[in-house]
C-alpha cells in the first residue's frame, strides 16, 4: 500500500463518521470529477477517490484495509 492512504486521500481521520465520509466524498466529486476537472490528472484522482470511498463505506472492507495498513506500517 504505497502512496497516499484512503483516509489521507479523502481528508478523513481514522474515527470518521458516516456523515463525514459522505461529505468528504461529495467534496472529492466536486473537485475531481472528469466533467469538472478534465484531463488525465482529474480522472486519475477521481478514480482513486471512488476506490477509497467504496472501501471505507463498507465496515468489512474497511477492517481489511485497516489491517493491511497496520501490516504495512510494521514491515
Amino acid at each position: 500500500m504505497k502512496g497516499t492512504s484512503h483516509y489521507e486521500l479523502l481528508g478523513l481521520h481514522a474515527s470518521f463518521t458516516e456523515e463525514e465520509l459522505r461529505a468528504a466524498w461529495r467534496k472529492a466529486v466536486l473537485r475531481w470529477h472528469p466533467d469538472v476537472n478534465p484531463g488525465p490528472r482529474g480522472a486519475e484522482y477521481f478514480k482513486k477517490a471512488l476506490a477509497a470511498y467504496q472501501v471505507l463505506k463498507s465496515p468489512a472492507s474497511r477492517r481489511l484495509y485497516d489491517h493491511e495498513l497496520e501490516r504495512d506500517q510494521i514491515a
Side-chain angles (χ1 to χ4, degrees):
M1 309 221 80
K2 295 178 181 170
T4 306
S5 76
H6 291 337
Y7 296 102
E8 294 169 334
L9 186 71
L10 293 176
L12 295 167
H13 51 83
S15 59
F16 66 84
T17 65
E18 192 173 321
E19 184 177 309
E20 289 171 323
L21 177 60
R22 284 193 306 268
W25 169 241
R26 282 192 300 270
K27 184 178 176 181
V29 167
L30 292 173
R31 182 172 184 192
W32 296 112
H33 193 280
D35 289 345
V36 177
N37 193 339
R41 187 164 184 228
E44 176 187 343
Y45 274 78
F46 182 75
K47 288 176 188 176
K48 288 180 180 181
L50 176 59
Y53 175 74
Q54 290 174 333
V55 167
L56 296 178
K57 74 177 183 174
S58 164
S61 63
R62 182 177 171 193
R63 275 192 302 276
L64 288 173
Y65 178 74
D66 288 344
H67 179 71
E68 288 177 18
L69 279 179
E70 288 177 23
R71 186 187 67 211
D72 287 348
Q73 288 177 352
I74 293 171

